[in-house]
Amino acid sequence: MKRFIILTTIVLLATPFLAQEAKPAALSDVMEKIQAWRKTTDFKANGRLVRVAESGERTTYRISIRARSFADGLKVFCEVTNPPQAKVRLLLESRTTGGATIHTGHAGELAPKELPAASFGDPLLGSEFSFEDLMDNQFLWKNQTLLERAKCGARECYVIKSEPSAADHSHYSSVTSWVDQKIYYPVRIEKVLKGSGIVREFTNYGLRESKGRWSASQIEVETKGRPGSSLLIITGGAEKANLNASQFDPALLTKPD
């Protein structure tokens, strides 16, 4: 069964195998390779989002995601299909010219609703994942710093700190990513919330390569210093899915079941 990742984002999400020189000389070289996978994003996947409470009790949601990069930017369509009371559809669009929009909808509604930028940081289904995390736009921000090279587990990584501008509408003050030096895929990500300074830790598990692209079969999010976690577990899907624009039509957000 083929696997993938979402963004950050979202999107957390699939990246091509770009194992060329092991140690690029400059930040620009690293960023060029990291951003290349985003420009070739084209996948669909099914799985489940699991909230793990402090007591260990689990709440599970069935979820499907598809994403593709177009000339005008990345589009992600996400649908929660079970349990029935939690059903919702999301269309997230990250533009190449800057900025992003998120629309939500339910089957049979008259029209989709646009989520205000101030709500991009709201939790998805009460989990540690936010709406913004489905897009994982940090590598598109202009302010990037290559901090160091460091190990993350057994992997040698570039450590990159990304900081948003006001125009990015992020609810994070900074995002630090540990990117594998050979495959240019993030192994671990730390995101710092504005104001509170709370840190969310994202760990990618089960990294594998399929059709020239790397992905993770599971993403775990933990809030530093707090019990509990959230998991995005991928159970099936396809790389290079040949998706087209009609599969990201906003009208699908309210299409009857």
Side-chain angles (χ1 to χ4, degrees):
M1 188 73 71
K2 300 179 179 65
R3 306 281 186 166
F4 87 109
I5 187 169
I6 130 173
L7 16 59
T8 169
T9 56
I10 162 201
V11 152
L12 206 179
L13 299 169
T15 184
F17 181 57
L18 297 170
Q20 299 178 19
E21 67 268 27
K23 295 183 179 181
L27 172 65
S28 59
D29 297 322
V30 180
M31 296 307 300
E32 180 181 357
K33 291 176 174 61
I34 292 173
Q35 291 171 3
W37 60 259
R38 189 179 182 92
K39 294 178 181 178
T40 58
T41 297
D42 181 15
F43 71 82
K44 57 183 178 180
N46 300 305
R48 57 188 184 270
L49 177 65
V50 181
R51 290 192 348 243
V52 184
E54 179 180 356
S55 63
E57 180 183 359
R58 294 188 169 216
T59 304
T60 301
Y61 303 89
R62 291 289 174 181
I63 192 169
S64 67
I65 301 170
R66 58 182 179 266
R68 180 163 182 179
S69 182
F70 296 91
D72 58 348
L74 179 71
K75 297 184 180 183
V76 180
F77 193 97
C78 175
E79 183 172 9
V80 178
T81 57
N82 197 59
Q85 68 272 19
K87 284 186 175 182
V88 65
R89 296 165 182 165
L90 308 170
L91 177 60
L92 306 97
E93 300 180 77
S94 176
R95 296 182 292 276
T96 55
T97 55
T101 58
I102 300 176
H103 287 85
T104 68
H106 299 83
E109 287 183 336
L110 293 177
K113 297 177 182 177
E114 183 171 352
L115 193 72
S119 298
F120 283 11
D122 290 353
L124 176 63
L125 301 172
S127 71
E128 272 82 11
F129 289 96
S130 71
F131 291 99
E132 180 182 346
D133 294 328
L134 295 178
M135 294 184 287
D136 238 355
N137 282 340
Q138 69 267 17
F139 293 126
L140 298 181
W141 299 342
K142 292 182 179 180
N143 192 356
Q144 307 283 343
T145 305
L146 182 58
L147 298 180
E148 59 181 334
R149 294 184 176 91
K151 270 198 169 185
C152 187
R155 296 178 180 269
E156 295 287 345
C157 297
Y158 297 109
V159 184
I160 300 170
K161 184 176 182 180
S162 310
E163 296 173 285
S165 67
D168 293 314
H169 300 300
S170 177
H171 67 297
Y172 295 116
S173 60
S174 68
V175 176
T176 303
S177 307
W178 282 255
V179 179
D180 187 290
Q181 291 182 14
K182 293 183 178 179
I183 62 176
Y184 293 90
Y185 189 86
V187 178
R188 179 170 170 258
I189 301 173
E190 285 190 357
K191 303 184 179 184
V192 182
L193 289 165
K194 285 181 178 177
S196 66
I198 291 172
V199 177
R200 286 186 180 148
E201 301 174 320
F202 295 69
T203 306
N204 295 328
Y205 295 103
L207 299 188
R208 64 191 67 200
E209 184 265 337
S210 174
K211 291 186 177 180
R213 299 180 67 85
W214 282 86
S215 63
S217 59
Q218 179 174 300
I219 306 170
E220 182 176 21
V221 187
E222 298 176 286
T223 300
K224 198 169 185 177
R226 295 182 183 178
S229 65
S230 296
L231 305 168
L232 181 60
I233 302 168
I234 303 308
T235 56
E239 313 288 355
K240 298 182 180 179
N242 296 316
L243 300 172
N244 57 60
S246 67
Q247 292 167 293
F248 299 90
D249 187 337
L252 295 176
L253 293 169
T254 55
K255 181 181 178 180
D257 289 331

